[in-house]
Amino acid sequence: MTMMKTSTTSLLIQGGTVVRADGEKTMDVLVTNGEIRGLGLGLGKTEGMEIIDAKGLLVMPGLIDCHVHFREPGLEHKATMESESAAAYAGGVTTVCEMPNTVPPTVSVNALQDKVRRSQNLRVDMRFFFGATEMHHLEELKQLFTDASLAPLRARCCGLKLYLDHSTGDQKAPKGVIDEAFRVCAELKIPVVCHCEDTEMNAAAQRGLSGRSQDIAIHSEMRPPESEEKSIKEALALAKKYGTHLHVAHLSTKGGVDLIRAAKKSGITVTCEVAPHHLLMTIDDYTKLGPLAKMNPPLRTKEHQDALWAGIADGTIDCVSTDHAPHTLQEKLAAATPASPLAAPSGVPGVETMLSLLMSVASGEWPNPSEIADYGLRKNSQSEIRNPKFAIVDIVRLCFENPNHIFNVGKRGIVEGAPADLILVDPKKKWVITGKELHSKCGWTPYEGWKALGEVVRVIHS
Ligand code: DOR
Ligand code: ZN
């Protein structure tokens, strides 16, 4: 008889503060062979066990960023799955849901299969949104969700993403496809994520501004708040018509928050997310950042920013996700000549900085240095932003529990028997955000020089 020799690896995380959506508690966490095998105080040590002294550290579930663009395949000069998953990992994000606007776009079973194959050996768990710009893409989606042999593949698909107006990658869906997509997603019981902006309103705003100087700040006027609001209204009407679960991507306006708050009350199945750049920056940041602050939907005024925080405080906003959208610095700056700053591509990176920026706010430290400078001018809204109700547990709710549930990610969090998917965070660690030191291939950040509080010191992800 041959004896099989099995080796056990054990890790004891001692005395950390475990943060779950229902609260914080000091306890030890025992991880054996990649699984959480014990939770509680005074767990015994055994020989050969690795011990981590986690006193003063937070033990949080690995975060889920339900909106990223990793650019592979086809746009690897901007970013790759490997480079961006390193950025996610460093920022405590161990699961990402990736968008379909790659080259080719993820609009077929084959394209999804290719992405899943490419993502096999990454440090983070990648899930993918399907896209649709033509009717036959919806046929592919139906096949994915009904063909028994595709079950392992559909487990990696978190839903359908629709662009209701043009943005990077030209994935705008025509009206007929949008309507049918809502019907199909209701039938398949999967969420449809919408980038809500209205083509006609944006086009009209652009026509109205045609004589104006090409100042980059005009980007926010070319895609006005009313455009997002109108588009959300239409998407909500479709969700109601078919009983579809609508998830509104990167909500940026007060009107949008109000519409979703009312829709939730009326029983429509709608969820939504907000991005850190809309929570932490306003149109004032164009002055310093120029084309680096260009994204879709664009930066808004303080009034909108405050409404987003209020939406977080009252539970209208379900998730914070980054819309991590790396473009090279050269693309951002070279395309944006003084004559045509608006030629810069839209999008900012953010997956590595989300946790620390949110932790800064939860600790009462507003991280945007330019807004601190004009603190006196906006005392009232500033105190609203520094909402004492925003706490570390809210980060777990917004960046783990809710996206896990909404997109059926299947993570179990910090419970006995679950695969270990944890991050250890030092909440007191102060650091200065520097693009060159971050892991994204793009090498820049809109938060350059910002002081952040809270740093990931270890990721345990089997
Ligand atoms: O700013 C944006 N960048 N908005 C989008 O809708 C797409 C994204 C990208 O892929 O660059
Ligand atoms: Zn996006």
Side-chain angles (χ1 to χ4, degrees), residues 69 71 101 163 167-168 195 250 295-296 323 325 327 346-347:
H69 300 263
R71 308 299 194 204
N101 60 340
Y163 288 85
S167 194
T168 313
H195 177 130
H250 40 51
M295 78 282 292
N296 300 329
D323 197 6
H327 295 285
S346 295

Side-chain angles (χ1 to χ4, degrees), residues 128-423:
F128 302 95
F129 283 105
F130 213 82
T133 49
E134 293 171 31
M135 285 294 186
H136 70 97
H137 300 152
L138 297 174
E139 290 303 318
E140 296 261 347
L141 182 70
K142 274 198 255 182
Q143 190 201 345
L144 175 66
F145 277 89
T146 50
D147 185 333
S149 70
L150 296 176
L153 193 60
R154 71 171 159 268
R156 302 290 296 279
C157 178
C158 28
L160 180 71
K161 167 74 184 284
L162 287 179
Y163 288 85
L164 306 189
D165 187 23
H166 288 288
S167 194
T168 313
D170 261 348
Q171 288 290 296
K172 176 184 150 47
K175 280 226 154 41
V177 173
I178 294 170
D179 195 278
E180 178 62 3
F182 271 78
R183 197 191 64 72
V184 168
C185 288
E187 187 180 293
L188 299 175
K189 298 190 170 42
I190 58 172
V192 55
V193 176
C194 287
H195 177 130
C196 291
E197 289 190 88
D198 183 75
T199 314
E200 280 96 52
M201 275 197 134
N202 282 357
Q206 275 163 45
R207 279 194 302 275
L209 291 162
S210 58
R212 283 261 302 272
S213 81
Q214 287 276 297
D215 182 333
I216 184 69
I218 218 174
H219 181 63
S220 288
E221 294 176 58
M222 285 179 158
R223 304 180 81 112
E226 299 76 29
S227 157
E228 177 174 284
E229 289 155 26
K230 176 166 177 245
S231 180
I232 290 176
K233 243 184 232 167
E234 286 172 5
L236 284 168
L238 287 170
K240 188 173 175 188
K241 176 174 170 192
Y242 293 113
T244 323
H245 174 176
L246 164 67
H247 179 86
V248 177
H250 40 51
L251 186 64
S252 66
T253 58
K254 177 176 185 314
V257 178
D258 292 344
L259 283 167
I260 293 170
R261 185 181 291 116
K264 283 186 169 187
K265 278 207 182 101
S266 79
I268 295 176
T269 311
V270 57
T271 53
C272 64
E273 65 187 38
V274 64
H277 47 262
H278 291 124
L279 286 173
L280 299 169
M281 294 196 284
T282 67
I283 53 169
D284 295 346
D285 288 278
Y286 281 123
T287 317
K288 204 160 142 194
L289 292 174
L292 298 186
K294 182 172 183 259
M295 78 282 292
N296 300 329
L299 292 177
R300 308 290 188 192
T301 60
K302 288 168 174 134
E303 184 201 3
H304 293 283
Q305 186 191 43
D306 284 351
L308 296 177
W309 282 105
I312 283 188
D314 75 2
T316 302
I317 291 171
D318 302 278
C319 310
V320 176
S321 57
T322 60
D323 197 6
H324 177 81
H327 295 285
T328 68
L329 197 54
Q330 199 189 9
E331 285 168 330
K332 277 292 220 184
L333 299 178
T337 60
S340 59
L342 292 165
S346 295
V348 294
V351 72
E352 189 167 348
T353 44
M354 172 172 70
L355 173 61
S356 293
L357 291 172
L358 293 179
M359 285 191 59
S360 307
V361 179
S363 313
E365 299 284 337
W366 187 248
N368 186 337
S370 26
E371 288 188 47
I372 289 168
D374 73 347
Y375 179 73
L377 294 175
R378 54 176 312 216
K379 228 174 189 161
N380 294 331
S381 59
Q382 186 69 231
S383 61
E384 219 177 285
I385 285 171
R386 294 179 178 210
N387 189 334
K389 288 196 203 109
F390 186 71
I392 307 280
V393 287
D394 295 316
I395 301 176
V396 173
R397 180 172 55 83
L398 295 156
C399 305
F400 175 75
E401 288 283 334
N402 288 349
N404 188 38
H405 179 70
I406 290 167
F407 297 110
N408 207 9
V409 178
K411 300 287 169 185
R412 292 173 56 197
I414 308 182
V415 293
E416 274 189 51
D421 187 348
L422 310 167
I423 56 175

Side-chain angles (χ1 to χ4, degrees), residues 56-58 60 90-92 352 355-357 359-360 423-433 437-438 452-458:
L57 300 183
L58 304 176
M60 299 166 79
E352 189 167 348
L355 173 61
S356 293
L357 291 172
M359 285 191 59
S360 307
I423 56 175
L424 303 188
V425 184
D426 181 348
K428 297 250 158 68
K429 181 75 196 266
K430 285 200 170 123
W431 60 292
V432 177
I433 300 177
E437 284 169 17
L438 299 176
L453 186 60
E455 193 177 53
V456 177
V457 294
R458 177 132 174 201

